[in-house]
Amino acid sequence: MSTSSTATPSRRTRLSALPEVRWAAAALVLFLAGLATQLLGGPEWTWWGLYLACYATGGWAPGLAGVLALKEKSLDVDLLMVGAAVGAAAVGQVMDGGLLIVIFATSGALEALATARTEDSVRGLLDLAPDTATRLGAADDEETVKAADLAVGDVVLVRPGERVAADGTVVAGASEVDQATVTGEPLPVDKAVGDEVFAGTLNGTGVLRVRVARRAGDSVVARIAGLVEQASRTKARTQLFIEKVEQRYSVAMVAATIALFTVPLLWGEPFREALLRAMTFMIVASPCAVVLATMPPLLAAIANAGRHGVLVKSAVVMERLGTTTRVAFDKTGTLTRGTPELAEVHPEPGGTDEELLRTAAAAERPSEHPLGAAVVRAARHLDVPAADGFSAQPGRGVSAVVERRLVQVGSPAALLAGTRLPVVDALRERGFTAVVVLRDRELAGVLGIGDEVRAEAVPAVAEVTRLTGTAPVLLTGDNAATAARVAARVGITEVRAGLLPDDKVAAVRDLEAAGHAVTVVGDGINDAPALAAAHAGVAMGGAGADLTLHTADAIVVRDDLTAIPAVIALSRRARRLVTANLVIAGTFIAGLVLWDLFGTLPLPLGVAGHEGSTVIVGLNGLRLLRDAAWHRVAATSPVPAAVSPPLSANPASPVRSR
């Protein structure tokens, strides 16, 4: 039914394929060449020519976009920046204008790159579902067809190790299916007749026959891709707060400059004096200082966060993170490590923990199942005997001869023949997966396996609650019992479990409809739509899916959950510095403008005042580059003396028996 390859093809747009990147790179090279020529005392015409070439290569695209925006009766900030750069060149400040051109060209290139990477990832997600499927005819004859040609009601064959080609229902066979790409569940799920399977999920060791329930374009994995594209387009229309302020400010500045030139002319003032006054006004009132008041703190915060393992993709994102009022955490791979670990051992009376564990590990050692691997890891400090006659039964478990006795390890439903055990029910109620161990067909004990909770999850959740003033919410595709257990461990009270990707998007929108600015933290492909739809999306980068990392606004590279509250606090400090810088820039502009209007402000002094204000606000914002800015934030995170122990085997005391 599908290809057996588990790798997703990598589709990456080359940097050189993006025109924005090529123009920005050319502008940067020309600017650096002009700066070097100027500092080395080269001929003035040489560095002027290089700077003007920088203006042309980096400024034509935003200038054209600004002209087109004017046709729509909108004054684009990029056009104003090009105008300010040209104005700076007109009064001899050609280097300052070139630097402004390079900054804006680079910003546009980064935005284009982020958009291309997201589109690449969406295309890669669609490649999870195989191109072909094995369709079964009325006489069980096999036919290889395109997955896109499958119709509702067709029956397809899924062999071991293949990916499912279409959403459907199992009509024959049994196997375990890894569906983490859709639901985020850390463990493969046993599938039997009547169970639902999803396109793009990976079949285990059994053979399945699946009746198609949805066409390829309507599958869950296709809907994930569509949700990501839709939410990303919506987010792209958002602007920085300062851009909204600049829209009104720039219109007023342009109108005032024109008036300051024309009105005195009508009153008989000489042309040269009127032009000089208007030019001085344009320089001192230009939005350069306002722009620099905004970008240095945000960019410095981005650089600081990057040094501490958090990659924030843009200044827009850094600003957004600081306005977060509610955080939604995924469970598997986010609050937990996404790896099954042995949590509890319950031997029958007369047996011991070590004896039960070494027996189960001996039978499971040849197994490829993740649960078996967890048992073997937990017994690595024990003397595990050799096993003969190993056999794996998909959906049931494994069996082997250990020390001349038949040992069976598997699911309670398969090995207990309908008998209910209180210990199995208790484990399930607490969110664990129960594994039964039989010795010569007699019950030897029960193992409880769960997902290990990150040690830093407790302080991270506590600090997020303190920062936002609202407790986080847990959004997961896992079952309610497991979700409730993890939530209780980390201190979360609101849990929404059993969610498919579009359900997570709906949950985020519900929270935002209640007035919250929601930041979603996740790691799997199934989290990508919610990350894209949220006010801000943060991905755990250690084992994050490719699509999730490209869709997310920020990535926690070191998989440290305490970085979440730290970066939110850093963003809030950056926003405070932006406000302070705007006050400083506004004070300088107001003072210089009043001097020009009601006195005689010499042009060199006006330029010096304008440049002085930009230097002051720039240096003020760069204070966030210091390591102390991050450490001061991180130090506020309460780290308890003892964190709840992870749900894993303890080498000193092999397991916890309850």
Side-chain angles (χ1 to χ4, degrees):
M1 173 178 179
S2 60
T3 177
S4 61
S5 173
T6 61
T8 301
S10 178
R11 296 186 178 186
R12 286 184 177 273
T13 301
R14 293 178 294 107
L15 291 179
S16 58
L18 298 173
E20 295 88 351
V21 172
R22 295 198 299 268
W23 288 116
L28 177 61
V29 170
L30 290 168
F31 174 79
L32 293 176
L35 181 63
T37 304
Q38 182 181 10
L39 294 178
L40 293 175
E44 182 176 353
W45 64 268
T46 304
W47 48 265
W48 261 88
L50 290 169
Y51 283 138
L52 292 179
C54 167
Y55 277 48
T57 54
W60 77 266
L64 179 60
V67 171
L68 295 176
L70 283 178
K71 294 182 178 179
E72 301 295 329
K73 299 181 179 179
S74 173
L75 189 57
D76 190 275
V77 67
D78 287 355
L79 179 62
L80 294 176
M81 289 304 97
V82 173
V86 172
V91 294
Q93 304 294 322
V94 66
M95 187 272 288
D96 296 341
L99 178 60
L100 197 58
I101 289 291
V102 169
I103 290 174
F104 271 78
T106 303
S107 175
L110 291 175
E111 182 179 353
L113 178 61
T115 300
R117 286 290 187 257
T118 299
E119 292 173 350
D120 292 343
S121 299
V122 170
R123 290 193 294 269
L125 171 61
L126 294 175
D127 288 336
L128 281 175
D131 294 330
T132 61
T134 303
R135 183 167 60 190
L136 298 178
D140 282 350
D141 52 309
E142 298 182 8
E143 179 187 5
T144 300
V145 298
K146 292 183 178 180
D149 294 336
L150 290 174
V152 175
D154 285 346
V155 176
V156 290
L157 184 69
V158 190
R159 294 185 173 87
E162 293 184 342
R163 288 192 179 272
V164 181
D167 292 358
T169 304
V170 177
V171 294
S175 183
E176 68 280 355
V177 176
D178 181 355
Q179 52 189 35
T181 54
V182 175
T183 66
E185 294 172 279
L187 306 178
V189 179
D190 290 335
K191 297 293 183 180
V193 176
D195 291 334
E196 185 178 16
V197 293
F198 302 105
T201 55
L202 183 64
N203 187 28
T205 56
V207 177
L208 297 175
R209 295 189 180 200
V210 177
R211 178 173 285 111
V212 177
R214 303 182 189 92
R215 295 184 62 86
D218 299 324
S219 68
V220 172
V221 72
R223 281 186 286 158
I224 293 176
L227 287 168
V228 171
E229 287 184 316
Q230 178 184 353
S232 297
R233 286 195 300 268
T234 301
K235 183 176 292 185
R237 293 195 292 266
T238 308
Q239 290 180 307
L240 280 167
F241 168 75
I242 188 60
E243 290 178 347
K244 299 175 183 178
V245 174
E246 282 180 340
Q247 182 70 218
R248 297 176 176 83
Y249 171 81
S250 300
V251 170
M253 185 202 73
V254 171
T257 301
I258 295 174
L260 194 60
F261 175 65
T262 56
V263 172
L265 279 180
L266 296 176
W267 285 87
E269 187 171 4
F271 177 85
R272 184 179 182 280
E273 293 183 10
L275 178 61
L276 186 61
R277 182 186 296 272
M279 182 63 69
T280 303
F281 176 84
M282 186 185 72
I283 293 297
V284 300
S286 72
C288 296
V290 178
V291 172
L292 290 176
T294 305
M295 297 307 291
L298 296 175
L299 294 178
I302 290 173
N304 198 337
R307 288 203 307 269
H308 292 90
V310 181
L311 302 182
V312 180
K313 293 187 176 179
S314 70
V316 177
V317 174
M318 180 55 76
E319 185 199 39
R320 253 195 219 125
L321 287 169
T323 61
T324 299
T325 61
R326 191 97 188 256
V327 175
F329 285 102
D330 171 50
K331 182 184 72 67
T332 303
T334 303
L335 293 175
T336 69
R337 299 200 178 277
T339 304
E341 297 287 345
L342 183 65
E344 299 184 15
V345 174
H346 299 272
E348 282 294 280
T352 65
D353 292 359
E354 288 77 6
E355 180 186 2
L356 178 61
L357 181 55
R358 67 190 291 272
T359 299
E364 289 281 12
R365 180 176 284 172
S367 173
E368 297 178 352
H369 198 287
L371 296 185
V375 174
V376 173
R377 282 197 304 272
R380 60 185 177 272
H381 60 289
L382 299 176
D383 181 18
V384 178
D388 298 316
F390 172 82
S391 175
Q393 297 83 36
R396 295 180 56 86
V398 301
S399 63
V401 177
V402 180
E403 296 178 331
R404 299 183 179 181
R405 304 183 70 178
L406 176 64
V407 176
Q408 296 170 279
V409 184
S411 68
L415 298 183
L416 295 180
T419 303
R420 296 190 61 177
L421 294 178
V423 64
V424 171
D425 293 338
L427 285 170
R428 287 173 174 170
E429 288 175 1
R430 293 200 302 276
F432 295 112
T433 297
V435 175
V436 172
V437 182
L438 303 183
R439 189 184 294 115
D440 288 337
R441 305 190 187 281
E442 295 291 333
L443 182 65
V446 181
L447 307 177
I449 297 178
D451 194 3
E452 182 183 358
V453 176
R454 295 180 187 271
E456 73 274 15
V458 174
V461 168
E463 179 63 5
V464 163
T465 303
R466 187 193 69 80
L467 277 174
T468 63
T470 309
V473 59
L474 177 60
L475 306 178
T476 178
D478 216 337
N479 64 77
T482 302
R485 175 179 62 85
V486 172
R489 289 282 303 278
V490 301
I492 294 178
T493 56
E494 183 177 347
V495 179
R496 304 189 187 190
L499 304 180
L500 289 175
D502 48 354
D503 298 324
K504 289 189 177 184
V505 172
V508 170
R509 288 174 177 161
D510 287 345
L511 293 171
E512 292 184 339
H516 292 292
V518 181
T519 290
V520 174
V521 185
D523 75 309
I525 288 178
N526 61 306
D527 299 318
L531 293 177
H535 179 71
V538 181
M540 303 298 288
D546 186 59
L547 175 69
T548 305
L549 298 182
H550 288 313
T551 302
D553 299 308
I555 302 170
V556 181
V557 177
R558 299 173 187 170
D559 265 8
D560 180 7
L561 274 176
T562 59
I564 303 297
V567 76
I568 291 175
L570 184 66
S571 171
R572 293 186 175 185
R573 189 173 180 200
R575 285 170 57 84
R576 290 194 295 271
L577 277 182
V578 167
T579 302
N581 278 351
L582 288 174
V583 172
I584 294 172
T587 301
F588 267 85
I589 289 174
L592 293 172
V593 165
L594 291 175
W595 189 350
D596 185 53
L597 291 177
F598 300 104
T600 303
L601 175 63
L603 181 59
L605 186 58
V607 172
H610 175 264
E611 296 300 322
S613 68
T614 60
V615 170
I616 291 173
V617 299
L619 292 177
N620 189 40
L622 293 180
R623 288 191 298 145
L624 290 183
L625 281 173
R626 298 178 300 170
D627 284 336
W630 180 272
H631 292 318
R632 190 179 306 159
V633 171
T636 64
S637 300
V639 180
V643 179
S644 300
L647 301 179
S648 61
N650 186 336
S653 174
V655 287
R656 297 195 303 276
S657 179
R658 297 182 181 177

